[in-house]
PDB file of all heavy atoms in Angstrom:
ATOM      1  N   ALA I   1     -30.371  22.608  10.303  1.00  0.00           N
ATOM      2  CA  ALA I   1     -30.367  22.089  11.693  1.00  0.00           C
ATOM      3  C   ALA I   1     -29.243  21.120  11.791  1.00  0.00           C
ATOM      4  O   ALA I   1     -28.834  20.407  10.856  1.00  0.00           O
ATOM      5  CB  ALA I   1     -31.662  21.412  12.017  1.00  0.00           C
ATOM      6  N   SER I   2     -28.705  20.958  13.021  1.00  0.00           N
ATOM      7  CA  SER I   2     -27.499  20.125  13.244  1.00  0.00           C
ATOM      8  C   SER I   2     -27.938  18.639  12.990  1.00  0.00           C
ATOM      9  O   SER I   2     -27.064  17.824  12.672  1.00  0.00           O
ATOM     10  CB  SER I   2     -27.022  20.283  14.675  1.00  0.00           C
ATOM     11  OG  SER I   2     -27.983  19.970  15.639  1.00  0.00           O
ATOM     12  N   ASP I   3     -29.173  18.293  13.176  1.00  0.00           N
ATOM     13  CA  ASP I   3     -29.648  16.895  12.926  1.00  0.00           C
ATOM     14  C   ASP I   3     -30.002  16.695  11.520  1.00  0.00           C
ATOM     15  O   ASP I   3     -30.661  15.694  11.141  1.00  0.00           O
ATOM     16  CB  ASP I   3     -30.781  16.521  13.866  1.00  0.00           C
ATOM     17  CG  ASP I   3     -32.052  17.347  13.570  1.00  0.00           C
ATOM     18  OD1 ASP I   3     -32.010  18.242  12.696  1.00  0.00           O
ATOM     19  OD2 ASP I   3     -33.097  17.032  14.129  1.00  0.00           O
ATOM     20  N   LYS I   4     -29.442  17.501  10.562  1.00  0.00           N
ATOM     21  CA  LYS I   4     -29.584  17.342   9.129  1.00  0.00           C
ATOM     22  C   LYS I   4     -28.177  17.310   8.547  1.00  0.00           C
ATOM     23  O   LYS I   4     -28.061  17.371   7.284  1.00  0.00           O
ATOM     24  CB  LYS I   4     -30.383  18.481   8.530  1.00  0.00           C
ATOM     25  CG  LYS I   4     -31.822  18.564   8.963  1.00  0.00           C
ATOM     26  CD  LYS I   4     -32.609  17.420   8.391  1.00  0.00           C
ATOM     27  CE  LYS I   4     -34.088  17.543   8.755  1.00  0.00           C
ATOM     28  NZ  LYS I   4     -34.855  16.431   8.250  1.00  0.00           N
ATOM     29  N   ILE I   5     -27.121  17.122   9.290  1.00  0.00           N
ATOM     30  CA  ILE I   5     -25.816  17.191   8.809  1.00  0.00           C
ATOM     31  C   ILE I   5     -24.997  15.902   9.077  1.00  0.00           C
ATOM     32  O   ILE I   5     -24.940  15.450  10.291  1.00  0.00           O
ATOM     33  CB  ILE I   5     -24.988  18.393   9.360  1.00  0.00           C
ATOM     34  CG1 ILE I   5     -25.663  19.726   9.019  1.00  0.00           C
ATOM     35  CG2 ILE I   5     -23.522  18.350   8.904  1.00  0.00           C
ATOM     36  CD1 ILE I   5     -25.035  20.925   9.630  1.00  0.00           C
ATOM     37  N   ILE I   6     -24.382  15.313   8.046  1.00  0.00           N
ATOM     38  CA  ILE I   6     -23.475  14.110   8.194  1.00  0.00           C
ATOM     39  C   ILE I   6     -22.151  14.610   7.531  1.00  0.00           C
ATOM     40  O   ILE I   6     -22.146  15.333   6.578  1.00  0.00           O
ATOM     41  CB  ILE I   6     -24.095  12.925   7.418  1.00  0.00           C
ATOM     42  CG1 ILE I   6     -25.342  12.490   8.092  1.00  0.00           C
ATOM     43  CG2 ILE I   6     -23.032  11.784   7.492  1.00  0.00           C
ATOM     44  CD1 ILE I   6     -26.110  11.354   7.379  1.00  0.00           C
ATOM     45  N   ILE I   7     -21.031  14.150   8.134  1.00  0.00           N
ATOM     46  CA  ILE I   7     -19.759  14.545   7.638  1.00  0.00           C
ATOM     47  C   ILE I   7     -18.917  13.312   7.206  1.00  0.00           C
ATOM     48  O   ILE I   7     -19.021  12.247   7.786  1.00  0.00           O
ATOM     49  CB  ILE I   7     -18.951  15.239   8.787  1.00  0.00           C
ATOM     50  CG1 ILE I   7     -19.661  16.533   9.261  1.00  0.00           C
ATOM     51  CG2 ILE I   7     -17.521  15.524   8.377  1.00  0.00           C
ATOM     52  CD1 ILE I   7     -19.671  17.565   8.280  1.00  0.00           C
ATOM     53  N   SER I   8     -18.166  13.484   6.187  1.00  0.00           N
ATOM     54  CA  SER I   8     -17.185  12.478   5.811  1.00  0.00           C
ATOM     55  C   SER I   8     -15.864  13.255   5.396  1.00  0.00           C
ATOM     56  O   SER I   8     -15.878  14.347   4.969  1.00  0.00           O
ATOM     57  CB  SER I   8     -17.626  11.560   4.673  1.00  0.00           C
ATOM     58  OG  SER I   8     -17.806  12.382   3.390  1.00  0.00           O
ATOM     59  N   CYS I   9     -14.712  12.571   5.702  1.00  0.00           N
ATOM     60  CA  CYS I   9     -13.419  13.070   5.336  1.00  0.00           C
ATOM     61  C   CYS I   9     -12.539  11.948   4.794  1.00  0.00           C
ATOM     62  O   CYS I   9     -11.781  11.335   5.463  1.00  0.00           O
ATOM     63  CB  CYS I   9     -12.687  13.616   6.592  1.00  0.00           C
ATOM     64  SG  CYS I   9     -13.454  15.142   7.294  1.00  0.00           S
ATOM     65  N   LYS I  10     -12.721  11.752   3.465  1.00  0.00           N
ATOM     66  CA  LYS I  10     -12.153  10.501   2.886  1.00  0.00           C
ATOM     67  C   LYS I  10     -10.812  10.764   2.280  1.00  0.00           C
ATOM     68  O   LYS I  10     -10.576  11.790   1.647  1.00  0.00           O
ATOM     69  CB  LYS I  10     -13.086   9.907   1.781  1.00  0.00           C
ATOM     70  CG  LYS I  10     -14.385   9.390   2.425  1.00  0.00           C
ATOM     71  CD  LYS I  10     -15.153   8.549   1.405  1.00  0.00           C
ATOM     72  CE  LYS I  10     -16.449   7.980   1.944  1.00  0.00           C
ATOM     73  NZ  LYS I  10     -17.175   7.213   0.987  1.00  0.00           N
ATOM     74  N   MET I  11      -9.937   9.772   2.471  1.00  0.00           N
ATOM     75  CA  MET I  11      -8.583   9.800   1.860  1.00  0.00           C
ATOM     76  C   MET I  11      -8.379   8.381   1.302  1.00  0.00           C
ATOM     77  O   MET I  11      -9.035   7.435   1.609  1.00  0.00           O
ATOM     78  CB  MET I  11      -7.537  10.225   2.869  1.00  0.00           C
ATOM     79  CG  MET I  11      -7.810  11.580   3.527  1.00  0.00           C
ATOM     80  SD  MET I  11      -6.489  12.117   4.640  1.00  0.00           S
ATOM     81  CE  MET I  11      -5.316  12.728   3.439  1.00  0.00           C
ATOM     82  N   SER I  12      -7.310   8.210   0.460  1.00  0.00           N
ATOM     83  CA  SER I  12      -7.052   6.955  -0.169  1.00  0.00           C
ATOM     84  C   SER I  12      -5.975   6.148   0.498  1.00  0.00           C
ATOM     85  O   SER I  12      -5.774   4.930   0.118  1.00  0.00           O
ATOM     86  CB  SER I  12      -6.672   7.174  -1.671  1.00  0.00           C
ATOM     87  OG  SER I  12      -5.493   7.980  -1.789  1.00  0.00           O
ATOM     88  N   GLY I  13      -5.291   6.609   1.473  1.00  0.00           N
ATOM     89  CA  GLY I  13      -4.302   5.935   2.200  1.00  0.00           C
ATOM     90  C   GLY I  13      -4.860   5.470   3.523  1.00  0.00           C
ATOM     91  O   GLY I  13      -5.562   6.168   4.266  1.00  0.00           O
ATOM     92  N   VAL I  14      -4.535   4.210   3.917  1.00  0.00           N
ATOM     93  CA  VAL I  14      -5.085   3.584   5.070  1.00  0.00           C
ATOM     94  C   VAL I  14      -4.808   4.401   6.324  1.00  0.00           C
ATOM     95  O   VAL I  14      -5.619   4.824   7.133  1.00  0.00           O
ATOM     96  CB  VAL I  14      -4.648   2.148   5.300  1.00  0.00           C
ATOM     97  CG1 VAL I  14      -5.098   1.581   6.669  1.00  0.00           C
ATOM     98  CG2 VAL I  14      -5.274   1.318   4.182  1.00  0.00           C
ATOM     99  N   GLN I  15      -3.421   4.704   6.593  1.00  0.00           N
ATOM    100  CA  GLN I  15      -3.080   5.491   7.795  1.00  0.00           C
ATOM    101  C   GLN I  15      -3.634   6.794   7.737  1.00  0.00           C
ATOM    102  O   GLN I  15      -4.031   7.412   8.785  1.00  0.00           O
ATOM    103  CB  GLN I  15      -1.504   5.444   7.830  1.00  0.00           C
ATOM    104  CG  GLN I  15      -0.866   4.094   8.027  1.00  0.00           C
ATOM    105  CD  GLN I  15      -1.254   3.445   9.376  1.00  0.00           C
ATOM    106  OE1 GLN I  15      -1.758   4.086  10.321  1.00  0.00           O
ATOM    107  NE2 GLN I  15      -0.956   2.170   9.563  1.00  0.00           N
ATOM    108  N   ASP I  16      -3.661   7.455   6.589  1.00  0.00           N
ATOM    109  CA  ASP I  16      -4.164   8.811   6.473  1.00  0.00           C
ATOM    110  C   ASP I  16      -5.675   8.903   6.859  1.00  0.00           C
ATOM    111  O   ASP I  16      -6.073   9.796   7.606  1.00  0.00           O
ATOM    112  CB  ASP I  16      -4.059   9.295   5.043  1.00  0.00           C
ATOM    113  CG  ASP I  16      -2.601   9.468   4.653  1.00  0.00           C
ATOM    114  OD1 ASP I  16      -1.738   9.697   5.544  1.00  0.00           O
ATOM    115  OD2 ASP I  16      -2.308   9.498   3.399  1.00  0.00           O
ATOM    116  N   VAL I  17      -6.484   7.976   6.344  1.00  0.00           N
ATOM    117  CA  VAL I  17      -7.923   8.003   6.654  1.00  0.00           C
ATOM    118  C   VAL I  17      -8.189   7.702   8.054  1.00  0.00           C
ATOM    119  O   VAL I  17      -9.063   8.244   8.761  1.00  0.00           O
ATOM    120  CB  VAL I  17      -8.660   7.121   5.673  1.00  0.00           C
ATOM    121  CG1 VAL I  17      -8.638   5.644   6.134  1.00  0.00           C
ATOM    122  CG2 VAL I  17     -10.145   7.619   5.541  1.00  0.00           C
ATOM    123  N   VAL I  18      -7.391   6.813   8.690  1.00  0.00           N
ATOM    124  CA  VAL I  18      -7.511   6.511  10.123  1.00  0.00           C
ATOM    125  C   VAL I  18      -7.202   7.802  10.994  1.00  0.00           C
ATOM    126  O   VAL I  18      -7.856   8.132  11.839  1.00  0.00           O
ATOM    127  CB  VAL I  18      -6.538   5.353  10.584  1.00  0.00           C
ATOM    128  CG1 VAL I  18      -6.461   5.321  12.110  1.00  0.00           C
ATOM    129  CG2 VAL I  18      -7.037   4.073  10.061  1.00  0.00           C
ATOM    130  N   ASN I  19      -6.102   8.490  10.556  1.00  0.00           N
ATOM    131  CA  ASN I  19      -5.707   9.728  11.277  1.00  0.00           C
ATOM    132  C   ASN I  19      -6.777  10.802  11.158  1.00  0.00           C
ATOM    133  O   ASN I  19      -7.098  11.451  12.161  1.00  0.00           O
ATOM    134  CB  ASN I  19      -4.381  10.228  10.743  1.00  0.00           C
ATOM    135  CG  ASN I  19      -3.208   9.416  11.237  1.00  0.00           C
ATOM    136  OD1 ASN I  19      -3.309   8.733  12.191  1.00  0.00           O
ATOM    137  ND2 ASN I  19      -2.137   9.423  10.523  1.00  0.00           N
ATOM    138  N   VAL I  20      -7.264  10.985  10.003  1.00  0.00           N
ATOM    139  CA  VAL I  20      -8.269  12.136   9.756  1.00  0.00           C
ATOM    140  C   VAL I  20      -9.535  11.857  10.492  1.00  0.00           C
ATOM    141  O   VAL I  20     -10.170  12.833  11.065  1.00  0.00           O
ATOM    142  CB  VAL I  20      -8.473  12.454   8.242  1.00  0.00           C
ATOM    143  CG1 VAL I  20      -9.335  11.475   7.578  1.00  0.00           C
ATOM    144  CG2 VAL I  20      -8.940  13.865   8.069  1.00  0.00           C
ATOM    145  N   TYR I  21     -10.031  10.654  10.498  1.00  0.00           N
ATOM    146  CA  TYR I  21     -11.287  10.384  11.163  1.00  0.00           C
ATOM    147  C   TYR I  21     -11.086  10.361  12.678  1.00  0.00           C
ATOM    148  O   TYR I  21     -12.004  10.827  13.458  1.00  0.00           O
ATOM    149  CB  TYR I  21     -11.888   9.042  10.707  1.00  0.00           C
ATOM    150  CG  TYR I  21     -12.703   9.153   9.528  1.00  0.00           C
ATOM    151  CD1 TYR I  21     -12.284   8.800   8.267  1.00  0.00           C
ATOM    152  CD2 TYR I  21     -14.046   9.675   9.673  1.00  0.00           C
ATOM    153  CE1 TYR I  21     -13.030   8.951   7.147  1.00  0.00           C
ATOM    154  CE2 TYR I  21     -14.829   9.810   8.504  1.00  0.00           C
ATOM    155  CZ  TYR I  21     -14.337   9.434   7.317  1.00  0.00           C
ATOM    156  OH  TYR I  21     -15.176   9.618   6.168  1.00  0.00           O
ATOM    157  N   THR I  22      -9.941   9.988  13.194  1.00  0.00           N
ATOM    158  CA  THR I  22      -9.632  10.131  14.612  1.00  0.00           C
ATOM    159  C   THR I  22      -9.642  11.586  15.039  1.00  0.00           C
ATOM    160  O   THR I  22     -10.210  11.948  16.092  1.00  0.00           O
ATOM    161  CB  THR I  22      -8.272   9.544  14.939  1.00  0.00           C
ATOM    162  OG1 THR I  22      -8.296   8.086  14.507  1.00  0.00           O
ATOM    163  CG2 THR I  22      -7.986   9.604  16.464  1.00  0.00           C
ATOM    164  N   ARG I  23      -9.130  12.470  14.177  1.00  0.00           N
ATOM    165  CA  ARG I  23      -9.049  13.885  14.541  1.00  0.00           C
ATOM    166  C   ARG I  23     -10.511  14.494  14.460  1.00  0.00           C
ATOM    167  O   ARG I  23     -10.892  15.230  15.324  1.00  0.00           O
ATOM    168  CB  ARG I  23      -8.180  14.617  13.489  1.00  0.00           C
ATOM    169  CG  ARG I  23      -6.698  14.256  13.620  1.00  0.00           C
ATOM    170  CD  ARG I  23      -5.860  15.047  12.691  1.00  0.00           C
ATOM    171  NE  ARG I  23      -4.447  14.584  12.669  1.00  0.00           N
ATOM    172  CZ  ARG I  23      -3.438  15.299  12.221  1.00  0.00           C
ATOM    173  NH1 ARG I  23      -3.689  16.557  11.759  1.00  0.00           N
ATOM    174  NH2 ARG I  23      -2.197  14.860  12.206  1.00  0.00           N
ATOM    175  N   ILE I  24     -11.231  14.253  13.380  1.00  0.00           N
ATOM    176  CA  ILE I  24     -12.490  14.864  13.209  1.00  0.00           C
ATOM    177  C   ILE I  24     -13.459  14.416  14.283  1.00  0.00           C
ATOM    178  O   ILE I  24     -14.335  15.140  14.738  1.00  0.00           O
ATOM    179  CB  ILE I  24     -13.088  14.622  11.790  1.00  0.00           C
ATOM    180  CG1 ILE I  24     -14.239  15.653  11.454  1.00  0.00           C
ATOM    181  CG2 ILE I  24     -13.526  13.276  11.565  1.00  0.00           C
ATOM    182  CD1 ILE I  24     -13.893  17.050  11.346  1.00  0.00           C
ATOM    183  N   ALA I  25     -13.340  13.148  14.699  1.00  0.00           N
ATOM    184  CA  ALA I  25     -14.274  12.644  15.716  1.00  0.00           C
ATOM    185  C   ALA I  25     -14.106  13.305  17.013  1.00  0.00           C
ATOM    186  O   ALA I  25     -15.108  13.354  17.811  1.00  0.00           O
ATOM    187  CB  ALA I  25     -13.977  11.087  15.893  1.00  0.00           C
ATOM    188  N   GLU I  26     -13.081  13.936  17.270  1.00  0.00           N
ATOM    189  CA  GLU I  26     -12.776  14.634  18.529  1.00  0.00           C
ATOM    190  C   GLU I  26     -13.350  16.074  18.620  1.00  0.00           C
ATOM    191  O   GLU I  26     -13.521  16.611  19.696  1.00  0.00           O
ATOM    192  CB  GLU I  26     -11.242  14.660  18.809  1.00  0.00           C
ATOM    193  CG  GLU I  26     -10.699  13.331  19.085  1.00  0.00           C
ATOM    194  CD  GLU I  26      -9.164  13.425  19.221  1.00  0.00           C
ATOM    195  OE1 GLU I  26      -8.574  14.472  18.967  1.00  0.00           O
ATOM    196  OE2 GLU I  26      -8.531  12.334  19.655  1.00  0.00           O
ATOM    197  N   VAL I  27     -13.684  16.611  17.440  1.00  0.00           N
ATOM    198  CA  VAL I  27     -14.071  18.007  17.374  1.00  0.00           C
ATOM    199  C   VAL I  27     -15.475  18.262  16.954  1.00  0.00           C
ATOM    200  O   VAL I  27     -15.908  19.485  16.892  1.00  0.00           O
ATOM    201  CB  VAL I  27     -13.033  18.804  16.570  1.00  0.00           C
ATOM    202  CG1 VAL I  27     -11.647  18.767  17.240  1.00  0.00           C
ATOM    203  CG2 VAL I  27     -12.960  18.374  15.120  1.00  0.00           C
ATOM    204  N   ILE I  28     -16.175  17.272  16.417  1.00  0.00           N
ATOM    205  CA  ILE I  28     -17.592  17.516  16.064  1.00  0.00           C
ATOM    206  C   ILE I  28     -18.420  16.374  16.601  1.00  0.00           C
ATOM    207  O   ILE I  28     -17.886  15.333  17.038  1.00  0.00           O
ATOM    208  CB  ILE I  28     -17.747  17.536  14.480  1.00  0.00           C
ATOM    209  CG1 ILE I  28     -17.320  16.144  13.872  1.00  0.00           C
ATOM    210  CG2 ILE I  28     -16.922  18.667  13.861  1.00  0.00           C
ATOM    211  CD1 ILE I  28     -17.687  15.988  12.438  1.00  0.00           C
ATOM    212  N   ASP I  29     -19.750  16.662  16.619  1.00  0.00           N
ATOM    213  CA  ASP I  29     -20.672  15.518  17.080  1.00  0.00           C
ATOM    214  C   ASP I  29     -21.663  15.192  16.029  1.00  0.00           C
ATOM    215  O   ASP I  29     -22.662  14.455  16.284  1.00  0.00           O
ATOM    216  CB  ASP I  29     -21.363  15.937  18.375  1.00  0.00           C
ATOM    217  CG  ASP I  29     -22.123  17.239  18.268  1.00  0.00           C
ATOM    218  OD1 ASP I  29     -22.216  17.820  17.204  1.00  0.00           O
ATOM    219  OD2 ASP I  29     -22.757  17.698  19.325  1.00  0.00           O
ATOM    220  N   TYR I  30     -21.450  15.556  14.783  1.00  0.00           N
ATOM    221  CA  TYR I  30     -22.305  15.068  13.686  1.00  0.00           C
ATOM    222  C   TYR I  30     -21.989  13.613  13.375  1.00  0.00           C
ATOM    223  O   TYR I  30     -20.849  13.101  13.701  1.00  0.00           O
ATOM    224  CB  TYR I  30     -22.038  15.869  12.419  1.00  0.00           C
ATOM    225  CG  TYR I  30     -22.114  17.377  12.572  1.00  0.00           C
ATOM    226  CD1 TYR I  30     -20.992  18.187  12.424  1.00  0.00           C
ATOM    227  CD2 TYR I  30     -23.333  17.984  12.657  1.00  0.00           C
ATOM    228  CE1 TYR I  30     -21.047  19.532  12.508  1.00  0.00           C
ATOM    229  CE2 TYR I  30     -23.452  19.358  12.749  1.00  0.00           C
ATOM    230  CZ  TYR I  30     -22.330  20.115  12.744  1.00  0.00           C
ATOM    231  OH  TYR I  30     -22.410  21.527  12.790  1.00  0.00           O
ATOM    232  N   PRO I  31     -22.939  12.821  12.898  1.00  0.00           N
ATOM    233  CA  PRO I  31     -22.620  11.505  12.537  1.00  0.00           C
ATOM    234  C   PRO I  31     -21.537  11.416  11.412  1.00  0.00           C
ATOM    235  O   PRO I  31     -21.544  12.412  10.576  1.00  0.00           O
ATOM    236  CB  PRO I  31     -23.911  10.879  12.048  1.00  0.00           C
ATOM    237  CG  PRO I  31     -24.841  12.062  11.833  1.00  0.00           C
ATOM    238  CD  PRO I  31     -24.334  13.202  12.646  1.00  0.00           C
ATOM    239  N   LEU I  32     -20.764  10.461  11.378  1.00  0.00           N
ATOM    240  CA  LEU I  32     -19.681  10.337  10.421  1.00  0.00           C
ATOM    241  C   LEU I  32     -19.867   9.170   9.405  1.00  0.00           C
ATOM    242  O   LEU I  32     -20.207   8.068   9.824  1.00  0.00           O
ATOM    243  CB  LEU I  32     -18.329  10.072  11.100  1.00  0.00           C
ATOM    244  CG  LEU I  32     -17.822  11.221  12.010  1.00  0.00           C
ATOM    245  CD1 LEU I  32     -16.622  10.886  12.753  1.00  0.00           C
ATOM    246  CD2 LEU I  32     -17.584  12.486  11.090  1.00  0.00           C
ATOM    247  N   HIS I  33     -19.793   9.483   8.109  1.00  0.00           N
ATOM    248  CA  HIS I  33     -19.780   8.489   7.058  1.00  0.00           C
ATOM    249  C   HIS I  33     -18.368   8.168   6.783  1.00  0.00           C
ATOM    250  O   HIS I  33     -17.524   8.994   6.496  1.00  0.00           O
ATOM    251  CB  HIS I  33     -20.468   9.064   5.835  1.00  0.00           C
ATOM    252  CG  HIS I  33     -20.226   8.241   4.595  1.00  0.00           C
ATOM    253  ND1 HIS I  33     -21.084   7.238   4.299  1.00  0.00           N
ATOM    254  CD2 HIS I  33     -19.341   8.267   3.586  1.00  0.00           C
ATOM    255  CE1 HIS I  33     -20.716   6.641   3.155  1.00  0.00           C
ATOM    256  NE2 HIS I  33     -19.639   7.275   2.748  1.00  0.00           N
ATOM    257  N   VAL I  34     -17.999   6.872   6.931  1.00  0.00           N
ATOM    258  CA  VAL I  34     -16.602   6.425   6.944  1.00  0.00           C
ATOM    259  C   VAL I  34     -16.373   5.571   5.744  1.00  0.00           C
ATOM    260  O   VAL I  34     -17.128   4.709   5.301  1.00  0.00           O
ATOM    261  CB  VAL I  34     -16.246   5.651   8.255  1.00  0.00           C
ATOM    262  CG1 VAL I  34     -14.814   5.164   8.215  1.00  0.00           C
ATOM    263  CG2 VAL I  34     -16.441   6.503   9.477  1.00  0.00           C
ATOM    264  N   GLY I  35     -15.170   5.727   5.121  1.00  0.00           N
ATOM    265  CA  GLY I  35     -14.706   4.924   4.027  1.00  0.00           C
ATOM    266  C   GLY I  35     -13.393   5.298   3.475  1.00  0.00           C
ATOM    267  O   GLY I  35     -12.957   6.440   3.751  1.00  0.00           O
ATOM    268  N   LEU I  36     -12.742   4.441   2.773  1.00  0.00           N
ATOM    269  CA  LEU I  36     -11.561   4.725   2.094  1.00  0.00           C
ATOM    270  C   LEU I  36     -11.802   5.045   0.676  1.00  0.00           C
ATOM    271  O   LEU I  36     -12.313   4.232  -0.017  1.00  0.00           O
ATOM    272  CB  LEU I  36     -10.574   3.464   2.215  1.00  0.00           C
ATOM    273  CG  LEU I  36      -9.147   3.614   1.657  1.00  0.00           C
ATOM    274  CD1 LEU I  36      -8.343   4.474   2.687  1.00  0.00           C
ATOM    275  CD2 LEU I  36      -8.556   2.255   1.515  1.00  0.00           C
ATOM    276  N   THR I  37     -11.626   6.289   0.307  1.00  0.00           N
ATOM    277  CA  THR I  37     -11.951   6.691  -1.146  1.00  0.00           C
ATOM    278  C   THR I  37     -10.865   6.063  -2.101  1.00  0.00           C
ATOM    279  O   THR I  37      -9.756   5.835  -1.769  1.00  0.00           O
ATOM    280  CB  THR I  37     -11.948   8.203  -1.284  1.00  0.00           C
ATOM    281  OG1 THR I  37     -12.547   8.555  -2.511  1.00  0.00           O
ATOM    282  CG2 THR I  37     -10.550   8.823  -1.212  1.00  0.00           C
ATOM    283  N   GLU I  38     -11.451   5.785  -3.248  1.00  0.00           N
ATOM    284  CA  GLU I  38     -10.563   5.223  -4.323  1.00  0.00           C
ATOM    285  C   GLU I  38      -9.711   4.023  -3.719  1.00  0.00           C
ATOM    286  O   GLU I  38      -8.508   3.976  -3.929  1.00  0.00           O
ATOM    287  CB  GLU I  38      -9.674   6.293  -4.866  1.00  0.00           C
ATOM    288  CG  GLU I  38     -10.423   7.439  -5.486  1.00  0.00           C
ATOM    289  CD  GLU I  38      -9.838   8.818  -5.173  1.00  0.00           C
ATOM    290  OE1 GLU I  38      -8.741   8.843  -4.550  1.00  0.00           O
ATOM    291  OE2 GLU I  38     -10.456   9.843  -5.551  1.00  0.00           O
ATOM    292  N   ALA I  39     -10.431   3.080  -3.125  1.00  0.00           N
ATOM    293  CA  ALA I  39      -9.735   1.985  -2.491  1.00  0.00           C
ATOM    294  C   ALA I  39      -8.999   1.053  -3.513  1.00  0.00           C
ATOM    295  O   ALA I  39      -8.016   0.471  -3.102  1.00  0.00           O
ATOM    296  CB  ALA I  39     -10.758   1.160  -1.704  1.00  0.00           C
ATOM    297  N   GLY I  40      -9.485   0.997  -4.720  1.00  0.00           N
ATOM    298  CA  GLY I  40      -8.824   0.212  -5.745  1.00  0.00           C
ATOM    299  C   GLY I  40      -9.638  -0.963  -6.115  1.00  0.00           C
ATOM    300  O   GLY I  40     -10.850  -1.113  -5.769  1.00  0.00           O
TER     301      GLY I  40
END
């Protein structure tokens, strides 16, 4: 079911992760788990 799905699209660059979440937020309505992977 759609209410059983959460999405994340993690990247390690600040601008990259901002861009990818901005894009994915426009095309899906699942909840988003957000974070910078391998932040350091």
Side-chain angles (χ1 to χ4, degrees):
S2 60
D3 64 355
K4 294 291 184 182
I5 299 173
I6 297 173
I7 299 292
S8 63
C9 289
K10 293 189 177 182
M11 304 185 77
S12 59
V14 171
Q15 296 294 347
D16 294 336
V17 81
V18 169
N19 285 336
V20 77
Y21 273 102
T22 301
R23 295 183 187 200
I24 194 69
E26 294 175 350
V27 295
I28 64 169
D29 58 2
Y30 306 110
L32 292 174
H33 170 85
V34 178
L36 187 73
T37 192
E38 299 139 7

